[in-house]
Amino acid sequence: MREKVIKILEDIRADIDFNHLTQKLIDDEMLDSFDIISIVGELNEAFDVDISVDELLPENFNTPDAMVELITKLQQE
Amino acid sequence: MTFVSAVFGVFFIGISILYFCVKREYRWIVLLFGSYFFYWMSSKSLTVVLLFMTIVTFAVGKIIDARNQKSAAYLKEHGELQSGERKAYKNNCKKINTRILILGILLDLSILLFLKYFNFFSDNINELLGWFKIPAGVPTLGLLVPIGLSFYTLQAIAYMTDVYRGKYRADRNFFQFMLFMSYFPQIVQGPIARHDHLAKQLYEGHDFDYQRCTFGLQLALWGLIKKLVIADRLAVPVNMIFNNYGNYSGLVVLLAAFGYGLQVYADFSGGMDLVRGLSQILGIELQLNFKQPYFAKSIEEFWRRWHITLGAWMKDYVFYPLSLSKISGSIGKKTRKIFGNNIGKKIPSFIAMFIVYFLVGFWHGPEWKYIAYGIWNGIFIMSGILLEEFYSNTKKKLGIQEERYSWKAFQTFRTIVLCSVGRFFSRADNLLAAFLMIASTLKGFSNIAFLVDRTLINLGLDTADWVVLCIMLLIMLGVDTAHEKGIKIRQAIAGQGIVFRWLIYYAAIFAVIIFGMYGSGYDSASFIYQQF
C-alpha cells in the first residue's frame, strides 16, 4: 500500500522525494491545500475509501505513513 | 423586539435574573422560554417557520443517528463478515442515510428558498418571458421572511450533516434542541453556531460570575458604541451619496463605498460584540465572527477575518464536499493532464470556490447585485492564487522586500481599496447603479476640493458629528490594533485602579447616551445583517 501511496504523491508533486522526507508535509508547508485535495481524490479512488472533511487534519497527511495509517483505519471501519 | 431597545434591556435583565435564580438543571428552560418569547415578539406567527425547521432538523438528525448506531452495532455483532460484505453493508447504509440527509436539507432549504428567493426567481423568469414577448406567468407573492432565517437554516444544515458524518451524536432532548436552534442572542444575525460548540454550553447551566459579568457588559457596551455612535452616524453621509449618486463623482464616491464598508463593519461586528457580551454574562461563549478584517493583506485573508462563521460554514459544507467529490476528482485528473500539475490541480478547487462565492453573495440577498458582490470577491481570490508565481517573480525583479512595513502597508491599502469597490455592489440600489457609481469614481478622481468646500457638511452631518465620528473611528482602529497585537483590553482595564476603571465605564456609557444616533430619521433599531 505504501508504494501505491508514494506513487500517487509523486504523480502530484514530482519535485518532492517522498521516500526520504526530512520535514513534515503539512506542518512544514511542503504541500498546499490544492495538493491535499488532489491527493484525497486519488487516494479515495485508488483504495476505495471515503476520506471525509473531518479527517483533513495535518497529522493524517504529514507523512506517507500517516496516510497509509488513515487509509488502513478507514478500510477497517 | 430588537436588541437596541429599552424593551430588550428589560427583557434581558429579567431573563438573566431568572436564569441565575432557578436551579442549575432548569436554567436552559429559562433560555428556551426567553428565546421563544423574543422570537415571538419579533416574528409573531412566523415563529411557526422556526418551529417547523426545528422539528424537521431534529427528526432527520435522530433518524440518521439511529441508523448509524444500528449499522455500527450490526457490524460489531457480525465480526465474521468478509471485508467485501462489510463494505457492501456500509455502502448501503450510507446510501440511505445520504437520501435522508438530502431530504432534510431540501426541506429546510426549501423554506429559505421559498420565503426569501421566490420573488427573485419569479421576477427573473417573467423578465425572461418578456424578452420573448410572452406575458408574465409567475406571480409575485407578498412574502415575509422570518428574522434570522438565513442564519438558522445554515445552522440546521450543519447539524444534520455533522450527525450524518458521525462527528457527534444527535441531540436526544427535543426541547433542548429547540433552544439550540432558537437561542435569542444569536438567532437574529449569528454567529452561525455549531452544535458541538454551543449546545452543551446552553444545556448545562452556569453560575453567576462577577468578573465574567463585567467583561460581558463591557463587550456589549463597546458593541453598542460601534453600532449607535459609529455605524449609525456613518450611515448618514453614506446614504446621502448612495441615494443621490448622480450628484457625486470622483474620490468622494469611492470614499462613500469605503465608508459603507466601515459602517457595515461597525454595525455587524458591533452587533456581534453586543450578543457575545450578553451571552458571556450568562456564561455562554459564542463563536468569534470577526478578527480585525481591516488588517488583512489580501482579499482571501479579509474573508478569513470577516464573518468567520459564514466562511467556516461554506468551507465545511460546500467547498470541501464539492472539492472532495468524485466528479471534482475526475475533473482534477483531466485538468492536471491538460494544464500540468501546478495549474491543473487548482481548477477543481476554483470551480468549488466560484460556487462558494456565488452562494456567499446570493446568501446576502435575492438580488443580482449581491451575486456580483460575491463573484467580485471570488475573482480576486482566485486570480491571487493563479497569479501567485507571477506576483512572486515580479516582486523579486522589482526588489520588493516583503518584510518591510511599507510593503505590508501597501498590501493592506490595496485590500481595503478592492474591498471598498466591492461594497458598491452590496450597497448600491441595484447592479446598474453599482456600475454607474464605479464609473463615476473615475470622473474627476483627483479633485479633492470636497474636503475643504461644503460638500462634507452637506452630507447630513455637522462639524461636531464629523469630529465625533473621526475620534470614534480612531478609537475603533486603536482597539483593533490592540487586538491585533494580542492585547486583552478588558483584562488590561480590570488591572487598573477603581477611579480609572470607572472613568472608562462612564465615558463609554455617556458615549452611547450622548453620541448615539437616536430619534426620527435614524433606524438605529435594526442591524444591516438582520435583513440578510
Side-chain angles (χ1 to χ4, degrees), chain A residues 8-72:
Chain A
I8 288 170
L9 294 172
E10 283 172 349
D11 281 349
I12 291 166
R13 286 294 300 269
D15 55 318
I16 300 174
D17 181 0
F18 290 97
N19 278 314
H20 302 95
L21 287 172
T22 51
Q23 288 176 301
K24 288 186 173 172
L25 292 168
I26 309 296
D27 292 346
D28 295 312
E29 296 177 3
M30 293 174 78
L31 296 179
D32 62 27
S33 52
F34 300 106
D35 292 323
I36 292 298
I37 285 169
S38 303
I39 290 166
V40 168
E42 293 289 336
L43 294 178
N44 280 346
E45 198 187 312
F47 298 100
D48 197 18
V49 288
D50 196 1
I51 299 171
S52 73
V53 178
D54 296 328
E55 276 136 2
L56 296 182
L57 302 168
E59 57 264 35
N60 287 334
F61 293 91
N62 261 332
T63 61
D65 290 330
M67 293 181 218
V68 170
E69 205 176 304
L70 174 68
I71 295 161
T72 312

Side-chain angles (χ1 to χ4, degrees), chain B residues 469-481:
Chain B
L469 182 59
C470 290
I471 290 171
M472 293 315 294
L473 283 172
L474 283 174
I475 292 174
M476 187 165 77
L477 177 69
V479 169
D480 274 7
T481 308

Side-chain angles (χ1 to χ4, degrees), chain B residues 329-340:
Chain B
S330 60
I331 292 173
K333 229 176 201 165
K334 281 175 194 152
T335 52
R336 285 206 305 275
K337 266 186 199 154
I338 300 167
F339 301 103

Side-chain angles (χ1 to χ4, degrees), chain A residues 11-14 32 34-35 37-38 40-42 44-45 47-54 56 74-77, chain B residues 75 86-87 90-91 94 162 165 167 315-316 319-321 323-324 328-329 333 336 341 345-346 349-350 353 385:
Chain A
D11 281 349
I12 291 166
R13 286 294 300 269
D32 62 27
F34 300 106
D35 292 323
I37 285 169
S38 303
V40 168
E42 293 289 336
N44 280 346
E45 198 187 312
F47 298 100
D48 197 18
V49 288
D50 196 1
I51 299 171
S52 73
V53 178
D54 296 328
L56 296 182
L74 290 171
Q75 284 179 332
Q76 284 169 354
E77 261 178 13
Chain B
L75 289 172
R86 290 175 74 85
K87 200 161 196 83
K90 267 166 39 183
N91 283 346
K94 197 179 169 192
D162 285 349
R165 288 175 179 167
K167 193 175 174 188
K315 192 180 81 181
D316 288 350
F319 178 76
Y320 278 128
S323 300
L324 301 179
S328 181
K333 229 176 201 165
R336 285 206 305 275
N341 267 342
K345 71 180 180 186
K346 291 171 183 166
S349 298
F350 280 176
M353 244 182 238
I385 296 164

Side-chain angles (χ1 to χ4, degrees), chain B residues 175-187:
Chain B
F175 295 102
Q176 286 189 331
F177 187 73
M178 276 174 79
L179 171 60
F180 166 69
M181 286 288 288
S182 66
Y183 180 50
F184 70 91
Q186 52 98 223
I187 198 167

Side-chain angles (χ1 to χ4, degrees), chain B residues 80-98:
Chain B
E80 75 284 357
L81 288 177
Q82 296 296 310
S83 122
E85 290 171 315
R86 290 175 74 85
K87 200 161 196 83
Y89 177 79
K90 267 166 39 183
N91 283 346
N92 189 39
C93 288
K94 197 179 169 192
K95 211 159 98 184
I96 298 169
N97 281 358
T98 308

Side-chain angles (χ1 to χ4, degrees), chain B residues 288 291-292 295 305 477-493:
Chain B
L288 206 63
K291 207 177 165 197
Q292 299 83 253
F295 283 85
R305 291 165 172 261
L477 177 69
V479 169
D480 274 7
T481 308
H483 284 153
E484 192 65 10
K485 288 179 184 294
I487 298 168
K488 293 190 165 107
I489 297 174
R490 287 177 290 171
Q491 273 89 335
I493 293 173

